Amino acid sequence: QVQLVESGGGLVQAGGSLRLTCVCSGRTFSSYAMGWFRQAPGKERELVAAISWISGITRYADSVKGRFTISRDNAKNTVYLQMNSLKPQDTAVYYCAANRQGATARMGAYDYWGRGTQVTVSS
C-alpha cells in the first residue's frame, strides 16, 4: 500500500517558478520510477516528467524540456519537480504517481496516485 502526497502548488505569474514535492510512504520499495502528470480543464492527463529511483534516468514532455527539472531524494522517499519560466499553458492540476516498470512506462502502468496540487499561471 503506497501513499503519495503532493505539495507546492499555487498561483504564480508567467515567468515565475514553483517547486512541487511528492512524499511517498508505505510499500514504496516495490516501485521503480516516479512520474509527474498534469491535467488541465477539458484536456487529457499527460506525462510531464518521470525519473527512475535507481538510475536517475529522466524523461520530459517536449513542452517542458529546458524549463522543468525532476529530481529525487531516495533517503527521503521524495520526488521534486522544479518548474521555471512558467507559462499560462502550464496551468493544471499536477499529480505525482508511482509505477513498477521504469521511467519509460506509459500512464497505464502507474499504480499509485496522489490527490494532486493546483498550479495556476497568470499572464
Side-chain angles (χ1 to χ4, degrees):
Q1 315 304 316
V2 175
Q3 181 174 236
L4 310 177
V5 180
E6 307 99 330
S7 62
L11 175 63
V12 65
Q13 293 184 356
S17 298
L18 286 172
R19 191 186 198 192
L20 305 184
T21 298
C22 176
V23 179
C24 310
S25 61
R27 195 177 172 85
T28 57
F29 53 81
S30 63
S31 68
Y32 295 154
M34 303 293 297
W36 284 99
F37 293 78
R38 67 185 181 187
Q39 188 165 21
K43 296 188 178 297
E44 298 293 327
R45 187 177 300 176
E46 63 176 348
L47 175 69
V48 177
I51 188 168
S52 168
W53 282 113
I54 297 175
S55 69
I57 292 175
T58 58
R59 291 172 57 87
Y60 295 94
D62 288 341
S63 60
V64 306
K65 287 181 179 177
R67 299 188 298 121
F68 291 10
T69 302
I70 188 171
S71 61
R72 89 284 198 219
D73 186 331
N74 294 51
K76 296 181 178 180
N77 290 324
T78 300
V79 178
Y80 306 94
L81 184 67
Q82 179 67 47
M83 305 186 295
N84 299 325
S85 301
L86 282 162
K87 305 175 180 180
Q89 302 94 307
D90 297 317
T91 295
V93 176
Y94 283 70
Y95 299 91
C96 178
N99 76 66
R100 301 175 185 177
Q101 296 184 8
T104 61
R106 300 288 187 180
M107 183 170 63
Y110 286 82
D111 299 317
Y112 303 98
W113 296 80
R115 293 182 61 82
T117 184
Q118 177 71 48
V119 172
T120 303
V121 184
S122 62
S123 60

